């Protein structure tokens, strides 16, 4: 019903920058909060940043001052600008959105996830 697709991951040296993007599509009525999470093998998926529709973002302590989340409500997209990257930022990054959608004439609300994009920071 709803699909999220991430892009922008890749290889970068420590201190470098990347910009991740996520586009939502489907029978969307509205998108509430959107966020970025990350996961490495053997660890739980953790919140990186989240931004409500009103635009006041929140960040994990580990990324404050280095990563910036933004969204374009008209295009149903969310981005993550990643600066001053460190090797410990290496992970698969996932886009998340809480979406109200239409199915058979009824409205439903749920959380959806993208497939993930790999970010690798070399030292």
């Amino acid at each position: 019903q709803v699909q999220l697709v991430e892009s922008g991951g890749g290889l970068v040296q420590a201190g470098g920058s990347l910009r991740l993007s996520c586009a939502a599509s489907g029978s969307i009525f509205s998108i509430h909060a959107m966020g970025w999470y990350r996961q490495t093998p053997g660890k739980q998926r953790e919140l990186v940043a989240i931004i409500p529709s009103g635009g006041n973002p929140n960040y994990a302590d580990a990324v404050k001052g280095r990563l910036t989340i933004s969204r374009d409500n008209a295009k149903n997209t969310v981005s993550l600008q990643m600066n001053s990257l460190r090797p410990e930022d290496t992970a698969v990054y996932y886009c998340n959105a809480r979406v109200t959608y239409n199915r058979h004439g009824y409205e439903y609300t749920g959380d959806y996830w993208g497939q993930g994009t790999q970010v690798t920071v070399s030292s």
Side-chain angles (χ1 to χ4, degrees):
Q1 191 70 34
V2 179
Q3 298 82 41
L4 303 178
V5 179
E6 302 102 331
S7 62
L11 296 169
V12 65
Q13 293 183 346
S17 299
L18 287 173
R19 185 176 180 87
L20 307 183
S21 296
C22 172
S25 62
S27 300
I28 297 171
F29 179 77
S30 63
I31 301 179
H32 309 281
M34 304 186 77
W36 288 95
Y37 294 71
R38 65 187 181 186
Q39 187 170 19
T40 57
K43 294 183 63 178
Q44 295 290 319
R45 189 171 299 182
E46 64 178 1
L47 175 68
V48 176
I50 189 167
I51 182 168
S53 61
N56 292 324
N58 201 5
Y59 299 91
D61 289 341
V63 305
K64 286 181 178 177
R66 301 187 298 114
L67 276 60
T68 303
I69 189 171
S70 61
R71 63 188 289 169
D72 186 333
N73 291 331
K75 297 181 179 179
N76 290 338
T77 60
V78 61
S79 298
L80 186 69
Q81 180 64 48
M82 309 170 71
N83 298 327
S84 301
L85 285 166
R86 306 166 180 171
E88 53 263 41
D89 294 319
T90 296
V92 177
Y93 284 72
Y94 295 90
C95 177
N96 171 267
R98 179 160 293 181
V99 181
T100 296
Y101 61 95
N102 182 278
R103 189 175 76 90
H104 298 159
Y106 295 88
E107 294 182 0
Y108 301 84
T109 299
D111 288 345
Y112 288 85
W113 296 90
Q115 81 288 346
T117 185
Q118 177 71 47
V119 171
T120 302
V121 184
S122 64
S123 59

